[in-house]
Amino acid sequence: MKNCFKTFAVVVVLVVVGSACGGGGGAKVELVPVATELRPTPNGYAFANFPASASPEEFNADDLAKMFGSEACVDGVVAPCDPIAEAAAWARMVNQARASGQCEGMVVEASQRFDLSLSPPTVDLVNEGEVTHEIIRTFATQFLPEVQEETLGWGEKSLGAIVAELVESFKTGKAKYSMGLYIEQGGHALLPYAVEFPTPDLAVIQLYDSNWPGKNRYVEVDLKANQWRFSFSGKDPANDPAAWTGGQGFMDLTSLDTRGNSTCPFCASETKVKNSMIVISSVDTDWSISNANGIYSPSSNNLVEGIVSRPIRGSVSPNSVKALEPLDGLSTRMRI
């Protein structure tokens, strides 16, 4: 598969302690169209996904205190918060990961605002101050241990199982899940809000895509072939020769419930170490990481038990943010 954009290579590598949440197998999909009332307008942002360089805001000590409370701060003092060393390192990791975009934060924050019926409408918000920090904090939730475990588990399931779960979740009227789509060179987060079945073997999942404010975007899922198709950068998604395509393992879900019930990855009260996370920034695939089972490198595409590598979900489409310079580099992805 060939990608149609360039992105700064931000790859998250999980060195897993113990086994990850599993899944898999087929699932009976109820072929009944179902939709929430969420729509890209007014429930999405009017501004497009943006790289970290496009905003002066950063994930900072105040964000750490708001997410994790006094345990993130020296002597438990939160106003102002002087981050403990582990919290400061985690904040640097989040800011490094934001280099290529904030799509994870934008779609998840939009879904939370929709589910809670918050005012003003998301479309009326401006990308500055606390609005931006809310997006950044929500972006950071993808690095929480329980969120990582759930996301990996859904990545192991069939596309039919994912579609079936969305069908059931949409019946509640809520936008319960964000969706991750990946190709070898990049990852992107989206917000599903409806599903249609033009034929018994085809599901069309309607999406809010932060790269395309106010536009109707979608991913097509061939249930029989267990394959999907998504136009990442095409103005006409139905006629995009560079559309992303993939199968099982290259689509996942993450729930709002898990994001809201995850534990602090560095606080003293969470003594059980579930995994170690490393964010690697590179303009190519010439890097490696090792554990007791071997050496993993994206350049050789080898499998090493206990290591999972994938790009951060944040990619900015060059067609959606025309005023920004494209970011150079390459992202790679591997699941184990």
Side-chain angles (χ1 to χ4, degrees):
M1 292 174 287
K2 187 175 181 181
N3 197 356
C4 54
F5 73 100
K6 291 183 178 180
T7 178
F8 188 66
V10 185
V11 180
V12 60
V13 179
L14 291 177
V15 184
V16 182
V17 179
S19 59
C21 176
K28 185 177 180 180
V29 180
E30 185 180 5
L31 303 181
V32 178
V34 61
T36 68
E37 293 184 358
L38 185 148
R39 295 296 182 271
T41 301
N43 307 117
Y45 293 93
F47 54 89
N49 186 17
F50 56 98
S53 59
S55 171
E57 309 294 350
E58 290 187 332
F59 188 84
N60 58 28
D62 184 59
D63 294 313
L64 285 166
K66 286 180 177 178
M67 286 187 72
F68 304 114
S70 60
E71 284 196 75
C73 310
V74 173
D75 297 328
V77 178
V78 297
C81 175
D82 178 17
I84 62 174
E86 295 86 351
W90 201 81
R92 287 194 296 272
M93 179 271 294
V94 171
N95 282 319
Q96 182 184 30
R98 294 174 47 242
S100 62
Q102 328 285 322
C103 63
E104 178 92 355
M106 293 182 70
V107 300
V108 177
E109 187 64 23
S111 68
Q112 293 184 113
R113 290 182 55 80
F114 169 77
D115 286 352
L116 295 172
S117 301
L118 297 182
S119 294
T122 302
V123 72
D124 292 340
L125 299 178
V126 179
N127 186 16
E128 62 184 22
E130 183 59 16
V131 170
T132 309
H133 278 275
E134 286 176 345
I135 291 171
I136 295 172
R137 289 194 296 271
T138 307
F139 171 89
T141 62
Q142 68 181 292
F143 304 116
L144 299 177
E146 291 85 355
V147 173
Q148 287 284 331
E149 184 177 7
E150 181 188 37
T151 303
L152 291 170
W154 277 110
E156 297 296 324
K157 295 182 183 291
S158 69
L159 302 189
I162 290 174
V163 173
E165 179 66 15
L166 289 176
V167 168
E168 288 303 307
S169 70
F170 292 155
K171 292 177 181 178
T172 69
K174 301 293 186 179
K176 180 179 178 180
Y177 290 100
S178 62
M179 173 180 286
L181 294 178
Y182 310 87
I183 59 173
E184 294 296 339
Q185 296 88 0
H188 193 40
L190 302 136
L191 178 57
Y193 61 84
V195 61
E196 303 165 354
F197 296 93
T199 71
D201 292 329
L202 180 64
V204 178
I205 303 169
Q206 301 293 332
L207 306 164
Y208 161 53
D209 183 346
S210 61
N211 283 345
W212 297 89
K215 302 296 183 181
N216 295 319
R217 310 295 283 187
Y218 58 86
V219 56
E220 298 173 317
V221 181
D222 186 328
L223 298 170
K224 186 175 182 179
N226 205 31
Q227 293 286 310
W228 56 263
R229 178 189 178 278
F230 168 68
S231 176
F232 175 78
S233 59
K235 292 183 179 180
D236 178 6
N239 298 285
D240 181 3
W244 287 15
T245 58
Q248 183 173 333
F250 290 81
M251 173 189 285
D252 57 38
L253 298 176
T254 310
S255 68
L256 286 178
D257 290 344
T258 300
R259 293 179 193 273
N261 293 290
S262 286
T263 53
C264 174
F266 51 78
C267 297
S269 60
E270 179 64 16
T271 57
K272 182 181 179 182
V273 178
K274 297 189 177 181
N275 57 58
S276 299
M277 184 178 297
I278 303 170
V279 173
I280 298 172
S281 297
S282 175
V283 296
D284 54 37
T285 60
D286 188 20
W287 57 268
S288 64
I289 186 169
S290 63
N291 65 7
N293 298 312
I295 300 175
Y296 166 78
S297 173
S299 61
S300 59
N301 205 30
N302 60 319
L303 301 180
V304 177
E305 183 179 357
I307 296 178
V308 178
S309 173
R310 69 181 183 201
I312 300 301
R313 297 184 295 272
S315 301
V316 173
S317 167
N319 291 333
S320 66
V321 193
K322 298 183 184 301
L324 302 178
E325 292 294 326
L327 301 172
D328 294 330
L330 178 69
S331 288
T332 60
R333 176 177 186 272
M334 175 61 66
R335 282 190 183 278
I336 300 176

